[in-house]
Coordinates of all heavy atoms in Angstrom, one line a residue:
M1 N 15.5 -11.4 27.0 CA 14.4 -10.4 26.7 C 13.6 -10.8 25.5 O 14.1 -11.4 24.6 CB 15.2 -9.1 26.4 CG 14.7 -8.0 27.3 SD 15.7 -6.5 27.0 CE 14.5 -5.6 25.9
I2 N 12.3 -10.6 25.7 CA 11.4 -11.0 24.6 C 11.1 -9.8 23.7 O 10.7 -8.7 24.2 CB 10.1 -11.6 25.1 CG1 10.4 -12.8 26.0 CG2 9.1 -11.9 23.9 CD1 9.3 -13.2 26.9
R3 N 11.5 -9.9 22.5 CA 11.2 -8.8 21.5 C 9.8 -8.9 21.0 O 9.3 -10.0 20.7 CB 12.2 -8.8 20.4 CG 13.5 -8.1 20.7 CD 14.4 -8.1 19.5 NE 13.8 -7.3 18.4 CZ 14.1 -7.6 17.1 NH1 14.9 -8.5 16.8 NH2 13.6 -6.8 16.2
Q4 N 9.1 -7.8 21.0 CA 7.7 -7.8 20.4 C 7.8 -8.0 18.9 O 8.5 -7.2 18.2 CB 7.0 -6.6 20.8 CG 5.5 -6.8 20.9 CD 4.7 -5.6 21.2 OE1 5.2 -4.6 21.7 NE2 3.4 -5.7 21.0
N5 N 7.1 -8.9 18.4 CA 7.1 -9.2 17.0 C 6.4 -8.0 16.2 O 5.3 -7.7 16.6 CB 6.4 -10.5 16.6 CG 7.3 -11.7 17.0 OD1 8.5 -11.6 17.1 ND2 6.6 -12.8 17.2
P6 N 7.0 -7.5 15.2 CA 6.3 -6.5 14.4 C 5.2 -7.1 13.6 O 5.3 -8.3 13.3 CB 7.4 -5.9 13.5 CG 8.5 -6.9 13.4 CD 8.4 -7.8 14.7
V7 N 4.2 -6.4 13.2 CA 3.2 -6.9 12.3 C 3.7 -7.0 10.9 O 4.2 -6.0 10.3 CB 1.9 -6.0 12.4 CG1 0.8 -6.6 11.5 CG2 1.5 -5.8 13.8
M8 N 3.7 -8.2 10.4 CA 4.3 -8.4 9.0 C 3.2 -8.5 8.0 O 2.1 -9.2 8.2 CB 5.1 -9.7 9.1 CG 6.3 -9.7 10.1 SD 7.4 -8.3 9.9 CE 8.5 -9.0 8.6
R9 N 3.4 -7.9 6.9 CA 2.5 -8.0 5.8 C 3.2 -8.3 4.5 O 4.4 -7.9 4.4 CB 1.7 -6.7 5.6 CG 0.7 -6.5 6.8 CD -0.5 -7.4 6.7 NE -1.5 -7.2 7.7 CZ -1.5 -7.8 8.9 NH1 -0.6 -8.7 9.2 NH2 -2.5 -7.6 9.8
I10 N 2.5 -8.8 3.5 CA 3.2 -9.1 2.2 C 2.9 -8.0 1.2 O 1.7 -7.6 1.0 CB 2.8 -10.5 1.7 CG1 3.3 -11.6 2.6 CG2 3.3 -10.7 0.3 CD1 2.6 -12.9 2.4
C11 N 3.9 -7.5 0.5 CA 3.8 -6.6 -0.6 C 3.1 -7.3 -1.8 O 3.6 -8.4 -2.1 CB 5.1 -6.0 -1.0 SG 5.1 -5.1 -2.6
I12 N 2.1 -6.8 -2.3 CA 1.3 -7.5 -3.4 C 2.1 -7.5 -4.7 O 1.8 -8.2 -5.6 CB -0.1 -6.9 -3.7 CG1 0.0 -5.4 -4.1 CG2 -1.0 -7.1 -2.5 CD1 -1.2 -5.0 -4.9
S13 N 3.2 -6.7 -4.8 CA 4.0 -6.6 -6.0 C 5.1 -7.6 -6.0 O 5.2 -8.5 -6.8 CB 4.5 -5.2 -6.3 OG 5.1 -5.2 -7.5
C14 N 6.0 -7.4 -5.0 CA 7.2 -8.3 -5.0 C 7.0 -9.6 -4.1 O 7.9 -10.4 -4.1 CB 8.4 -7.5 -4.5 SG 8.3 -6.8 -2.9
R15 N 5.9 -9.6 -3.4 CA 5.6 -10.8 -2.6 C 6.5 -11.0 -1.4 O 6.6 -12.1 -0.9 CB 5.4 -12.1 -3.4 CG 4.6 -12.0 -4.6 CD 3.2 -11.7 -4.5 NE 2.5 -12.7 -3.6 CZ 1.2 -12.6 -3.1 NH1 0.5 -11.5 -3.5 NH2 0.7 -13.5 -2.4
K16 N 7.3 -10.0 -1.1 CA 8.2 -10.1 0.1 C 7.4 -9.6 1.3 O 6.5 -8.8 1.3 CB 9.4 -9.2 -0.1 CG 10.4 -9.9 -1.1 CD 11.7 -9.0 -1.1 CE 12.5 -9.4 -2.3 NZ 13.2 -8.3 -2.9
T17 N 7.9 -10.1 2.5 CA 7.2 -9.8 3.7 C 8.0 -8.6 4.4 O 9.2 -8.6 4.4 CB 7.2 -11.0 4.7 OG1 6.8 -12.1 4.0 CG2 6.4 -10.8 5.9
Y18 N 7.2 -7.6 4.8 CA 7.8 -6.5 5.4 C 7.1 -6.1 6.7 O 5.9 -6.5 6.9 CB 7.6 -5.2 4.5 CG 8.5 -5.3 3.3 CD1 7.9 -5.8 2.1 CD2 9.8 -4.8 3.3 CE1 8.7 -5.8 0.9 CE2 10.6 -4.9 2.1 CZ 10.0 -5.4 1.0 OH 10.7 -5.4 -0.2
D19 N 7.7 -5.3 7.6 CA 7.1 -4.8 8.7 C 6.0 -3.8 8.2 O 6.2 -3.0 7.3 CB 8.2 -4.0 9.5 CG 7.7 -3.4 10.8 OD1 6.4 -3.1 10.9 OD2 8.5 -3.2 11.7
R20 N 4.8 -3.9 8.8 CA 3.7 -3.1 8.4 C 4.0 -1.6 8.3 O 3.5 -0.9 7.4 CB 2.6 -3.3 9.5 CG 1.5 -2.3 9.5 CD 0.5 -2.4 8.4 NE -0.4 -1.4 8.4 CZ -0.2 -0.2 7.8 NH1 0.9 0.1 7.2 NH2 -1.2 0.7 7.8
K21 N 4.9 -1.1 9.1 CA 5.3 0.3 9.1 C 6.0 0.7 7.8 O 6.1 1.9 7.5 CB 6.3 0.6 10.3 CG 5.6 0.7 11.6 CD 6.5 1.1 12.7 CE 7.4 0.0 13.1 NZ 7.7 -0.3 14.4
N22 N 6.6 -0.3 7.1 CA 7.3 0.0 5.9 C 6.5 -0.2 4.6 O 7.0 -0.2 3.5 CB 8.6 -0.8 5.8 CG 9.5 -0.4 6.9 OD1 9.7 0.7 7.2 ND2 10.1 -1.4 7.6
L23 N 5.2 -0.4 4.8 CA 4.3 -0.6 3.7 C 3.2 0.4 3.6 O 2.9 1.0 4.6 CB 3.6 -2.0 3.8 CG 4.5 -3.2 3.8 CD1 3.9 -4.4 4.4 CD2 4.9 -3.5 2.4
I24 N 2.7 0.6 2.4 CA 1.6 1.5 2.2 C 0.3 0.6 2.2 O 0.3 -0.4 1.4 CB 1.7 2.3 0.9 CG1 3.0 3.0 0.7 CG2 0.5 3.3 0.7 CD1 3.2 4.2 1.6
K25 N -0.7 1.0 3.0 CA -1.9 0.2 3.0 C -2.9 0.8 2.1 O -3.2 2.0 2.2 CB -2.4 0.1 4.4 CG -3.6 -0.8 4.6 CD -4.1 -0.5 6.0 CE -5.4 -1.3 6.3 NZ -6.1 -0.9 7.5
I26 N -3.5 0.1 1.2 CA -4.6 0.6 0.3 C -5.8 -0.2 0.7 O -5.8 -1.4 0.6 CB -4.2 0.4 -1.2 CG1 -3.0 1.2 -1.5 CG2 -5.4 1.0 -2.0 CD1 -1.8 0.3 -1.9
T27 N -6.9 0.5 1.1 CA -8.1 -0.1 1.5 C -9.3 0.3 0.7 O -9.4 1.4 0.3 CB -8.4 0.2 3.0 OG1 -7.3 -0.2 3.8 CG2 -9.6 -0.5 3.5
K28 N -10.1 -0.7 0.4 CA -11.3 -0.4 -0.3 C -12.4 -0.3 0.9 O -12.9 -1.3 1.4 CB -11.7 -1.6 -1.2 CG -12.9 -1.3 -2.0 CD -13.4 -2.6 -2.7 CE -14.8 -2.4 -3.2 NZ -15.5 -3.7 -3.4
D29 N -12.6 0.9 1.3 CA -13.5 1.2 2.4 C -14.9 1.0 2.0 O -15.3 1.3 0.8 CB -13.3 2.6 2.9 CG -14.0 2.9 4.2 OD1 -13.5 2.6 5.2 OD2 -15.1 3.4 4.1
H30 N -15.7 0.4 2.9 CA -17.1 0.1 2.5 C -17.9 1.4 2.2 O -18.8 1.4 1.3 CB -17.8 -0.5 3.7 CG -17.2 -1.8 4.2 ND1 -16.9 -2.8 3.3 CD2 -16.7 -2.2 5.3 CE1 -16.4 -3.8 3.9 NE2 -16.2 -3.5 5.2
K31 N -17.6 2.5 2.8 CA -18.3 3.7 2.6 C -17.6 4.7 1.7 O -18.2 5.4 0.9 CB -18.7 4.4 3.9 CG -19.7 3.6 4.7 CD -19.9 4.3 6.1 CE -20.8 3.4 6.9 NZ -20.7 3.7 8.3
Q32 N -16.3 4.9 1.9 CA -15.6 6.0 1.3 C -14.8 5.6 0.0 O -14.2 6.4 -0.6 CB -14.7 6.6 2.3 CG -15.4 7.2 3.5 CD -14.4 7.7 4.5 OE1 -13.8 8.8 4.3 NE2 -14.2 7.0 5.6
G33 N -14.8 4.3 -0.3 CA -14.1 3.9 -1.5 C -12.6 3.7 -1.2 O -12.3 3.3 -0.1
I34 N -11.7 4.0 -2.1 CA -10.3 3.7 -1.9 C -9.6 4.7 -1.0 O -9.7 5.9 -1.2 CB -9.6 3.6 -3.3 CG1 -10.2 2.6 -4.2 CG2 -8.1 3.3 -3.1 CD1 -10.1 1.1 -3.8
L35 N -9.0 4.2 0.1 CA -8.3 5.0 1.0 C -6.9 4.5 1.2 O -6.6 3.3 1.0 CB -9.0 5.0 2.4 CG -10.4 5.5 2.5 CD1 -10.9 5.3 3.9 CD2 -10.4 7.0 2.2
F36 N -6.0 5.5 1.5 CA -4.6 5.1 1.8 C -4.3 5.2 3.3 O -4.7 6.2 4.0 CB -3.6 6.1 1.1 CG -3.7 6.0 -0.4 CD1 -4.6 6.8 -1.1 CD2 -2.9 5.1 -1.1 CE1 -4.7 6.7 -2.5 CE2 -3.0 5.0 -2.4 CZ -3.9 5.8 -3.1
Q37 N -3.8 4.2 3.9 CA -3.4 4.1 5.3 C -4.6 4.1 6.2 O -4.4 4.0 7.4 CB -2.4 5.2 5.7 CG -1.2 5.3 4.8 CD -0.2 4.1 5.0 OE1 -0.5 3.0 4.9 NE2 1.1 4.5 5.2
N38 N -5.8 4.2 5.8 CA -7.0 4.2 6.6 C -8.0 3.3 6.1 O -7.9 2.7 5.0 CB -7.5 5.7 6.6 CG -6.8 6.5 7.6 OD1 -6.6 6.2 8.8 ND2 -6.3 7.7 7.1
G39 N -9.2 3.3 6.8 CA -10.3 2.7 6.2 C -10.5 1.3 6.7 O -9.6 0.6 7.2
M40 N -11.8 0.8 6.6 CA -12.2 -0.5 7.0 C -12.6 -1.3 5.7 O -13.4 -0.7 4.9 CB -13.4 -0.5 7.9 CG -13.0 0.2 9.3 SD -12.1 -0.9 10.3 CE -13.3 -2.1 10.8
G41 N -12.1 -2.4 5.6 CA -12.5 -3.2 4.4 C -11.3 -4.0 3.9 O -10.3 -4.2 4.5
R42 N -11.5 -4.5 2.7 CA -10.4 -5.3 2.0 C -9.2 -4.4 1.8 O -9.3 -3.4 1.2 CB -11.0 -5.9 0.7 CG -10.0 -6.8 0.0 CD -10.7 -7.5 -1.1 NE -11.6 -8.6 -0.7 CZ -11.2 -9.8 -0.4 NH1 -9.9 -10.2 -0.5 NH2 -12.1 -10.7 -0.1
S43 N -8.1 -4.9 2.2 CA -6.8 -4.1 2.1 C -5.8 -4.9 1.4 O -5.7 -6.1 1.4 CB -6.3 -3.8 3.5 OG -7.2 -3.1 4.2
A44 N -4.9 -4.1 0.8 CA -3.7 -4.6 0.1 C -2.5 -3.8 0.6 O -2.7 -2.6 0.9 CB -3.8 -4.5 -1.4
Y45 N -1.3 -4.4 0.6 CA -0.1 -3.7 1.1 C 0.9 -3.6 0.0 O 1.0 -4.6 -0.8 CB 0.5 -4.4 2.3 CG -0.4 -4.3 3.5 CD1 -1.4 -5.2 3.7 CD2 -0.3 -3.3 4.4 CE1 -2.3 -5.2 4.8 CE2 -1.1 -3.2 5.6 CZ -2.1 -4.1 5.7 OH -2.9 -4.1 6.8
I46 N 1.6 -2.5 -0.1 CA 2.6 -2.4 -1.1 C 3.9 -1.8 -0.5 O 3.7 -0.8 0.3 CB 2.2 -1.7 -2.4 CG1 3.2 -1.7 -3.5 CG2 1.7 -0.3 -2.1 CD1 2.7 -1.6 -4.8
C47 N 5.1 -2.2 -0.8 CA 6.3 -1.7 -0.2 C 6.6 -0.3 -0.8 O 6.1 0.0 -1.9 CB 7.4 -2.7 -0.2 SG 8.1 -3.0 -1.8
K48 N 7.5 0.4 -0.3 CA 7.9 1.7 -0.8 C 9.0 1.7 -1.8 O 9.5 2.8 -2.1 CB 8.3 2.6 0.4 CG 7.1 2.9 1.4 CD 7.6 3.6 2.6 CE 6.4 3.8 3.5 NZ 6.9 4.4 4.8
S49 N 9.3 0.5 -2.4 CA 10.3 0.6 -3.4 C 9.7 1.0 -4.7 O 8.6 0.5 -5.1 CB 11.0 -0.8 -3.5 OG 10.2 -1.7 -4.2
K50 N 10.4 1.8 -5.4 CA 10.0 2.4 -6.7 C 9.6 1.3 -7.7 O 8.6 1.4 -8.4 CB 11.0 3.3 -7.3 CG 10.4 4.2 -8.3 CD 11.5 5.3 -8.7 CE 10.8 6.5 -9.5 NZ 10.2 6.1 -10.8
K51 N 10.4 0.2 -7.7 CA 10.2 -0.9 -8.5 C 8.8 -1.5 -8.4 O 8.2 -1.9 -9.3 CB 11.2 -2.0 -8.2 CG 11.4 -3.0 -9.2 CD 12.6 -3.9 -8.9 CE 12.5 -5.3 -9.5 NZ 11.8 -6.2 -8.7
C52 N 8.3 -1.5 -7.2 CA 7.0 -2.0 -6.9 C 5.9 -1.1 -7.2 O 4.9 -1.4 -7.9 CB 6.8 -2.5 -5.5 SG 7.7 -4.0 -5.2
Y53 N 5.9 0.2 -6.7 CA 4.8 1.0 -6.9 C 4.7 1.6 -8.3 O 3.6 2.1 -8.8 CB 4.7 2.1 -5.8 CG 5.7 3.2 -5.8 CD1 5.7 4.2 -6.8 CD2 6.7 3.3 -4.9 CE1 6.7 5.2 -6.8 CE2 7.7 4.3 -4.8 CZ 7.6 5.2 -5.8 OH 8.6 6.2 -5.8
S54 N 5.8 1.6 -9.0 CA 5.8 2.1 -10.4 C 5.6 0.9 -11.4 O 5.8 1.1 -12.6 CB 6.9 3.0 -10.8 OG 8.1 2.3 -10.5
D55 N 5.4 -0.3 -10.9 CA 5.2 -1.4 -11.8 C 4.0 -1.2 -12.7 O 3.0 -0.8 -12.3 CB 4.9 -2.6 -10.8 CG 4.8 -4.0 -11.6 OD1 4.6 -4.0 -12.8 OD2 4.9 -5.0 -10.9
S56 N 4.2 -1.5 -13.9 CA 3.1 -1.3 -14.9 C 1.9 -2.2 -14.6 O 0.8 -1.9 -15.1 CB 3.6 -1.5 -16.3 OG 4.1 -2.8 -16.4
K57 N 2.1 -3.2 -13.9 CA 1.0 -4.2 -13.6 C 0.4 -3.9 -12.2 O -0.5 -4.6 -11.8 CB 1.5 -5.6 -13.7 CG 1.9 -6.1 -15.0 CD 2.2 -7.6 -15.0 CE 3.0 -8.0 -16.2 NZ 4.5 -7.8 -16.0
I58 N 0.8 -2.8 -11.6 CA 0.4 -2.6 -10.2 C -1.1 -2.4 -10.1 O -1.8 -2.9 -9.2 CB 1.2 -1.5 -9.5 CG1 1.0 -1.6 -8.0 CG2 0.9 -0.1 -10.0 CD1 1.5 -2.9 -7.4
K59 N -1.7 -1.7 -11.1 CA -3.1 -1.4 -11.1 C -3.9 -2.8 -11.2 O -4.8 -3.0 -10.4 CB -3.5 -0.5 -12.2 CG -4.9 0.1 -12.0 CD -5.2 1.0 -13.2 CE -6.7 1.2 -13.2 NZ -7.2 1.6 -14.5
K60 N -3.5 -3.6 -12.0 CA -4.1 -4.9 -12.2 C -4.0 -5.7 -10.9 O -5.0 -6.4 -10.4 CB -3.4 -5.7 -13.3 CG -4.2 -5.6 -14.6 CD -3.7 -6.5 -15.7 CE -4.3 -6.2 -17.0 NZ -3.6 -6.9 -18.1
K61 N -2.8 -5.7 -10.3 CA -2.6 -6.4 -9.1 C -3.5 -5.9 -7.9 O -4.0 -6.7 -7.1 CB -1.1 -6.4 -8.7 CG -0.2 -7.3 -9.5 CD 1.2 -7.1 -9.2 CE 2.1 -8.0 -10.1 NZ 3.5 -7.8 -9.9
L62 N -3.6 -4.6 -7.9 CA -4.4 -4.0 -6.9 C -5.9 -4.3 -7.1 O -6.6 -4.6 -6.1 CB -4.2 -2.5 -6.8 CG -3.1 -1.9 -5.9 CD1 -2.9 -0.5 -6.2 CD2 -3.4 -2.2 -4.5
Q63 N -6.3 -4.3 -8.3 CA -7.7 -4.6 -8.6 C -8.0 -6.0 -8.2 O -9.1 -6.3 -7.7 CB -8.0 -4.4 -10.1 CG -7.9 -2.9 -10.5 CD -8.4 -2.7 -11.9 OE1 -9.1 -1.7 -12.2 NE2 -8.0 -3.5 -12.9
K64 N -7.1 -6.9 -8.4 CA -7.3 -8.3 -8.1 C -7.3 -8.4 -6.5 O -8.2 -9.1 -6.0 CB -6.2 -9.1 -8.7 CG -6.6 -10.5 -9.0 CD -5.4 -11.3 -9.6 CE -5.6 -12.8 -9.4 NZ -4.3 -13.5 -9.7
A65 N -6.4 -7.8 -5.9 CA -6.3 -7.9 -4.4 C -7.5 -7.3 -3.7 O -8.0 -7.8 -2.7 CB -5.0 -7.3 -4.0
L66 N -7.9 -6.2 -4.3 CA -9.1 -5.5 -3.6 C -10.4 -5.9 -4.2 O -11.5 -5.5 -3.7 CB -8.9 -4.0 -3.8 CG -7.7 -3.3 -3.2 CD1 -7.5 -1.9 -3.6 CD2 -7.7 -3.4 -1.7
K67 N -10.4 -6.7 -5.2 CA -11.6 -7.2 -5.9 C -12.5 -6.0 -6.3 O -13.7 -6.0 -5.9 CB -12.4 -8.2 -5.0 CG -11.7 -9.5 -4.7 CD -12.7 -10.5 -4.2 CE -12.1 -11.7 -3.5 NZ -11.1 -12.5 -4.2
T68 N -11.9 -5.1 -6.9 CA -12.7 -3.9 -7.4 C -12.0 -3.4 -8.7 O -10.9 -3.8 -9.0 CB -12.7 -2.8 -6.3 OG1 -13.6 -1.8 -6.7 CG2 -11.3 -2.2 -6.1
S69 N -12.7 -2.5 -9.4 CA -12.1 -1.9 -10.5 C -11.7 -0.5 -10.1 O -12.4 0.2 -9.4 CB -13.0 -1.9 -11.7 OG -14.1 -1.2 -11.5
L70 N -10.5 -0.1 -10.6 CA -10.0 1.2 -10.2 C -10.1 2.2 -11.3 O -9.9 1.9 -12.5 CB -8.5 1.1 -9.7 CG -8.3 0.2 -8.5 CD1 -6.8 -0.2 -8.4 CD2 -8.7 0.8 -7.2
E71 N -10.3 3.5 -11.0 CA -10.4 4.5 -12.0 C -9.0 4.7 -12.6 O -8.0 4.5 -12.0 CB -10.7 5.9 -11.3 CG -11.9 5.8 -10.4 CD -13.3 5.9 -11.2 OE1 -13.2 6.5 -12.2 OE2 -14.2 5.3 -10.8
T72 N -9.0 5.3 -13.8 CA -7.7 5.6 -14.5 C -6.9 6.6 -13.7 O -5.7 6.5 -13.6 CB -8.0 6.2 -15.9 OG1 -9.1 5.5 -16.5 CG2 -6.8 6.0 -16.8
E73 N -7.6 7.5 -13.0 CA -6.9 8.5 -12.2 C -6.2 7.9 -11.0 O -5.3 8.6 -10.4 CB -7.8 9.7 -11.7 CG -8.7 10.3 -12.8 CD -10.0 9.6 -12.9 OE1 -10.0 8.6 -13.7 OE2 -11.0 10.0 -12.3
F74 N -6.6 6.7 -10.7 CA -6.1 6.2 -9.4 C -4.6 6.1 -9.4 O -4.0 6.5 -8.4 CB -6.7 4.7 -9.2 CG -6.1 4.0 -8.1 CD1 -6.4 4.3 -6.8 CD2 -5.0 3.1 -8.3 CE1 -5.8 3.7 -5.7 CE2 -4.4 2.5 -7.2 CZ -4.8 2.8 -5.9
I75 N -4.0 5.7 -10.5 CA -2.5 5.5 -10.5 C -1.8 6.9 -10.2 O -0.8 6.9 -9.5 CB -2.1 4.8 -11.8 CG1 -2.5 3.4 -11.8 CG2 -0.6 5.0 -12.0 CD1 -1.9 2.5 -10.7
D76 N -2.3 8.0 -10.8 CA -1.8 9.3 -10.5 C -1.8 9.6 -9.0 O -0.8 10.0 -8.4 CB -2.5 10.4 -11.2 CG -2.3 10.2 -12.8 OD1 -1.3 9.6 -13.1 OD2 -3.1 10.7 -13.5
I77 N -3.0 9.4 -8.4 CA -3.2 9.7 -7.0 C -2.3 8.8 -6.1 O -1.6 9.2 -5.2 CB -4.7 9.5 -6.6 CG1 -5.6 10.3 -7.4 CG2 -4.9 9.8 -5.1 CD1 -7.1 9.9 -7.4
F78 N -2.3 7.5 -6.5 CA -1.5 6.5 -5.9 C 0.0 6.9 -5.9 O 0.7 6.9 -4.8 CB -1.7 5.2 -6.6 CG -0.8 4.0 -6.2 CD1 -1.0 3.4 -5.0 CD2 0.1 3.5 -7.1 CE1 -0.3 2.3 -4.6 CE2 0.9 2.5 -6.7 CZ 0.7 1.8 -5.5
E79 N 0.6 7.3 -7.0 CA 2.0 7.7 -7.1 C 2.3 8.9 -6.3 O 3.3 9.0 -5.6 CB 2.4 7.9 -8.5 CG 2.6 6.6 -9.2 CD 3.5 6.6 -10.4 OE1 4.2 7.7 -10.6 OE2 3.6 5.7 -11.2
K80 N 1.4 9.9 -6.3 CA 1.5 11.1 -5.4 C 1.6 10.7 -4.0 O 2.4 11.2 -3.2 CB 0.4 12.1 -5.7 CG 0.8 13.1 -6.8 CD -0.4 14.0 -7.0 CE -0.3 14.5 -8.5 NZ -1.7 14.8 -9.0
E81 N 0.6 9.9 -3.6 CA 0.6 9.4 -2.2 C 1.9 8.8 -1.8 O 2.5 9.1 -0.8 CB -0.5 8.4 -2.0 CG -1.9 9.0 -1.9 CD -2.2 9.7 -0.6 OE1 -1.6 9.2 0.5 OE2 -2.9 10.6 -0.5
I82 N 2.3 7.8 -2.6 CA 3.5 7.1 -2.2 C 4.8 8.0 -2.2 O 5.6 7.9 -1.3 CB 3.7 5.9 -3.2 CG1 2.6 4.8 -2.9 CG2 5.1 5.3 -3.1 CD1 3.0 3.4 -3.1
T83 N 4.9 8.9 -3.2 CA 6.0 9.8 -3.2 C 6.0 10.7 -2.0 O 7.1 10.9 -1.4 CB 5.9 10.7 -4.5 OG1 5.6 9.8 -5.6 CG2 7.3 11.3 -4.7
S84 N 4.8 11.1 -1.5 CA 4.8 11.9 -0.3 C 5.2 11.2 0.9 O 5.8 11.7 1.8 CB 3.4 12.6 -0.1 OG 2.5 11.6 0.3
Y85 N 4.9 9.9 1.0 CA 5.4 9.1 2.1 C 6.9 8.9 2.1 O 7.6 8.9 3.1 CB 4.8 7.7 2.1 CG 3.3 7.7 2.5 CD1 2.3 7.2 1.6 CD2 2.9 8.3 3.7 CE1 1.0 7.2 1.9 CE2 1.5 8.3 4.0 CZ 0.6 7.8 3.1 OH -0.7 7.8 3.4
N86 N 7.4 8.8 0.8 CA 8.9 8.6 0.7 C 9.6 9.9 1.1 O 10.8 9.9 1.6 CB 9.3 8.2 -0.7 CG 9.0 6.8 -1.0 OD1 8.9 6.0 0.0 ND2 8.8 6.4 -2.2
D87 N 9.0 11.0 1.0 CA 9.6 12.3 1.3 C 9.7 12.5 2.8 O 10.6 13.2 3.3 CB 8.7 13.5 0.8 CG 8.9 13.6 -0.8 OD1 9.8 13.0 -1.3 OD2 8.1 14.3 -1.4
Y88 N 8.8 11.9 3.5 CA 8.8 12.0 5.0 C 8.8 10.6 5.6 O 7.8 10.2 6.1 CB 7.6 12.7 5.5 CG 7.4 14.1 4.8 CD1 6.6 14.3 3.8 CD2 8.2 15.2 5.3 CE1 6.4 15.5 3.1 CE2 8.0 16.4 4.7 CZ 7.2 16.5 3.6 OH 7.0 17.8 3.0
P89 N 10.0 9.9 5.5 CA 10.0 8.5 6.0 C 10.0 8.5 7.5 O 10.7 9.2 8.2 CB 11.3 7.9 5.4 CG 12.1 9.1 5.1 CD 11.3 10.4 5.0
N90 N 9.1 7.6 8.0 CA 9.0 7.4 9.5 C 9.1 8.6 10.3 O 9.9 8.8 11.2 CB 10.1 6.4 9.9 CG 9.9 5.1 9.2 OD1 8.8 4.6 8.9 ND2 11.1 4.4 8.9
K91 N 8.2 9.6 10.0 CA 8.1 10.8 10.8 C 7.9 10.6 12.3 O 7.1 9.8 12.7 CB 6.9 11.6 10.2 CG 7.3 13.0 9.9 CD 6.0 13.7 9.3 CE 6.3 15.2 9.3 NZ 5.1 15.9 8.9
G92 N 8.8 11.2 13.0 CA 8.6 11.1 14.5 C 9.2 9.9 15.1 O 9.1 9.7 16.3
I93 N 9.8 9.0 14.3 CA 10.4 7.8 14.9 C 12.0 8.0 14.9 O 12.5 8.4 13.9 CB 10.1 6.5 14.1 CG1 8.6 6.3 14.1 CG2 10.8 5.3 14.6 CD1 8.0 5.3 13.1
Ligands
ZN1 ZN1 7.3 -4.7 -3.0

């Protein structure tokens, strides 16, 4: 039997490879700015481990990955987003 390969992406913080489903996608959308899990444009992925998303350097890493500067409020929104995903892991699966 051939197993379908999952889409793998690298977490920008720990540099480990994960299944896309286990990562949060942050996109710098051309029109709407920074979006989570949606949008078209340059994207970065981060895993759901607290060590990664609460990393003090995460904002810098994201800015580098997305080639943009992020608002100070971004980190607050970002943490809220990630925490809400952790509250409902893999809904419907
Ligand atoms: Zn990570």
Side-chain angles (χ1 to χ4, degrees):
M1 239 174 95
I2 301 158
R3 279 183 59 206
Q4 210 183 343
N5 288 333
V7 181
M8 303 303 276
R9 290 287 182 268
I10 296 166
C11 167
I12 60 156
S13 185
C14 60
R15 313 294 304 172
K16 282 184 196 147
T17 311
Y18 292 94
D19 186 331
R20 163 72 187 87
K21 284 188 285 229
N22 297 318
L23 295 159
I24 309 287
K25 182 189 179 196
I26 300 114
T27 302
K28 186 194 166 199
D29 187 85
H30 300 308
K31 289 175 187 163
Q32 298 174 76
I34 303 295
L35 295 175
F36 294 91
Q37 305 290 51
N38 279 306
M40 294 286 288
R42 184 173 285 275
S43 302
Y45 294 84
I46 185 156
C47 71
K48 293 173 184 174
S49 77
K50 197 171 196 294
K51 197 171 155 271
C52 284
Y53 69 73
S54 58
D55 186 344
S56 58
K57 294 186 196 86
I58 199 63
K59 195 181 163 202
K60 265 189 186 165
K61 284 176 182 171
L62 271 171
Q63 291 188 138
K64 211 178 154 196
L66 299 172
K67 293 195 196 305
T68 190
S69 62
L70 298 164
E71 309 281 328
T72 321
E73 307 93 276
F74 171 80
I75 288 300
D76 292 338
I77 303 163
F78 173 71
E79 283 203 14
K80 267 180 210 150
E81 281 285 329
I82 291 209
T83 316
S84 75
Y85 291 122
N86 284 338
D87 287 347
Y88 306 99
N90 299 326
K91 230 178 168 187
I93 298 166

